[in-house]
Amino acid sequence: MIRISIIGSGNVAQHLIKAFSKSEAVEIVQVFSRKKEALASLVSFEKIVNDFDSLLEADLYIIAVSDNAISEVSKQLPFQNRVVVHTSGAASLDVLDAKNRKGVFYPLQTFSKNKEVDFSIIPMCLEAENTFDYRVLESVAKSISQAVYPINSDQRKALHVAAVFVNNFTNHLYQIGQEICKEHQVPFEVLKPLIQETAQKINTLAPADAQTGPAKRKDSTTIEAHLEYLTHENQKNIYKILTQSIQNNGKKL
């Protein structure tokens, strides 16, 4: 059984604790949290520490904190030559302190509090400095997920940028759509089957082949009518940029 310690108490840390708690191949030795109460419902209280010097020996230490805190946290670890990884999609391997063997254990998913996820289908993107440590990460990842990939720092950066487009930006467009519906007293629920069909369609079609709508058809009459109808300048600007991008088939504007 692989012994792990998780450092952090945010969304990613909490979801990892839940996933590892169900695994028979992994044992959570300890969890580090500044506020012990934050994790008391997920792990036994005696396993929660708030002092780095209290960290016991483990096979793997997973730093699941905000990107700008990874470097400082890794410097404060009071040991050397152990396997220490972070969970960030944007940070490189090099942000970790060199006194330990470095790696990345990045679950490519959006995590929200009180929203359960199926870890078995979450892509786990792994990187390590040597083959032996990679195998440890791979074993840990496969204990909770069926989708495990070797991804280096540059590839992970590309994935993270792409994820912002397909997740964060898309969700913001949902918000704009909801605001337009609310402004005109239309239930947002009416759009949900369309949202679901759009997402499901890329299981069988490439996104470029799945594209529809007035921009794709170059329906200038409808486009101008939409722009005239929109009352907020921000919405107009986003509509114009996305319309032009679709008409350019995703090429640079």
Side-chain angles (χ1 to χ4, degrees), residues 171-201:
N171 189 74
H172 182 62
L173 296 179
Y174 294 160
Q175 179 185 340
I176 291 175
Q178 185 179 45
E179 290 169 354
I180 293 171
C181 286
K182 185 176 181 180
E183 183 180 354
H184 298 281
Q185 299 180 327
V186 178
F188 182 64
E189 284 69 23
V190 176
L191 289 175
K192 288 183 178 179
L194 176 62
I195 292 171
Q196 292 166 0
E197 173 63 18
T198 303
Q200 292 170 1
K201 200 185 296 186

Side-chain angles (χ1 to χ4, degrees), residues 42-91:
L42 299 177
V43 66
S44 57
F45 203 73
E46 63 270 15
K47 287 189 175 184
I48 307 173
V49 298
N50 56 11
D51 182 353
F52 287 116
D53 289 327
S54 298
L55 288 170
L56 301 174
E57 186 170 354
D59 300 309
L60 174 65
Y61 298 83
I62 300 176
I63 298 177
V65 299
S66 62
D67 289 3
N68 58 6
I70 295 171
S71 178
E72 185 59 33
V73 168
S74 70
K75 290 176 183 177
Q76 293 184 58
L77 297 179
F79 45 73
Q80 297 180 7
N81 198 33
R82 299 184 191 173
V83 186
V84 177
V85 302
H86 67 66
T87 60
S88 170

Side-chain angles (χ1 to χ4, degrees), residues 117-129:
V117 295
D118 181 1
F119 248 96
S120 68
I121 61 172
I122 292 178
M124 301 300 300
C125 303
L126 311 180
E127 183 179 9
E129 293 182 299

Side-chain angles (χ1 to χ4, degrees), residues 26-169:
V26 169
E27 177 191 358
I28 299 177
V29 176
Q30 286 177 314
V31 176
F32 178 94
S33 175
R34 296 292 185 188
K35 297 179 180 179
K36 290 188 175 184
E37 297 77 13
L39 300 175
S41 64
L42 299 177
V43 66
S44 57
F45 203 73
E46 63 270 15
K47 287 189 175 184
I48 307 173
V49 298
N50 56 11
D51 182 353
F52 287 116
D53 289 327
S54 298
L55 288 170
L56 301 174
E57 186 170 354
D59 300 309
L60 174 65
Y61 298 83
I62 300 176
I63 298 177
V65 299
S66 62
D67 289 3
N68 58 6
I70 295 171
S71 178
E72 185 59 33
V73 168
S74 70
K75 290 176 183 177
Q76 293 184 58
L77 297 179
F79 45 73
Q80 297 180 7
N81 198 33
R82 299 184 191 173
V83 186
V84 177
V85 302
H86 67 66
T87 60
S88 170
S92 76
L93 195 73
D94 297 330
V95 299
L96 292 167
D97 192 275
K99 67 175 179 274
N100 284 297
R101 285 135 57 199
K102 300 180 286 188
V104 179
F105 192 84
Y106 171 47
L108 204 170
Q109 186 53 274
T110 174
F111 296 102
S112 299
K113 289 182 180 178
N114 303 319
K115 175 65 173 66
E116 296 297 322
V117 295
D118 181 1
F119 248 96
S120 68
I121 61 172
I122 292 178
M124 301 300 300
C125 303
L126 311 180
E127 183 179 9
E129 293 182 299
N130 61 68
T131 302
F132 179 81
D133 291 343
Y134 180 85
R135 296 305 175 204
V136 173
L137 297 185
E138 186 178 48
S139 295
V140 173
K142 286 184 175 179
S143 76
I144 58 175
S145 173
Q146 299 172 12
V148 178
Y149 301 91
I151 301 289
N152 64 37
S153 289
D154 187 61
Q155 292 171 323
R156 191 171 58 259
K157 185 181 294 185
L159 271 175
H160 195 259
V161 173
V164 168
F165 274 94
V166 303
N167 173 238
N168 306 132
F169 290 169

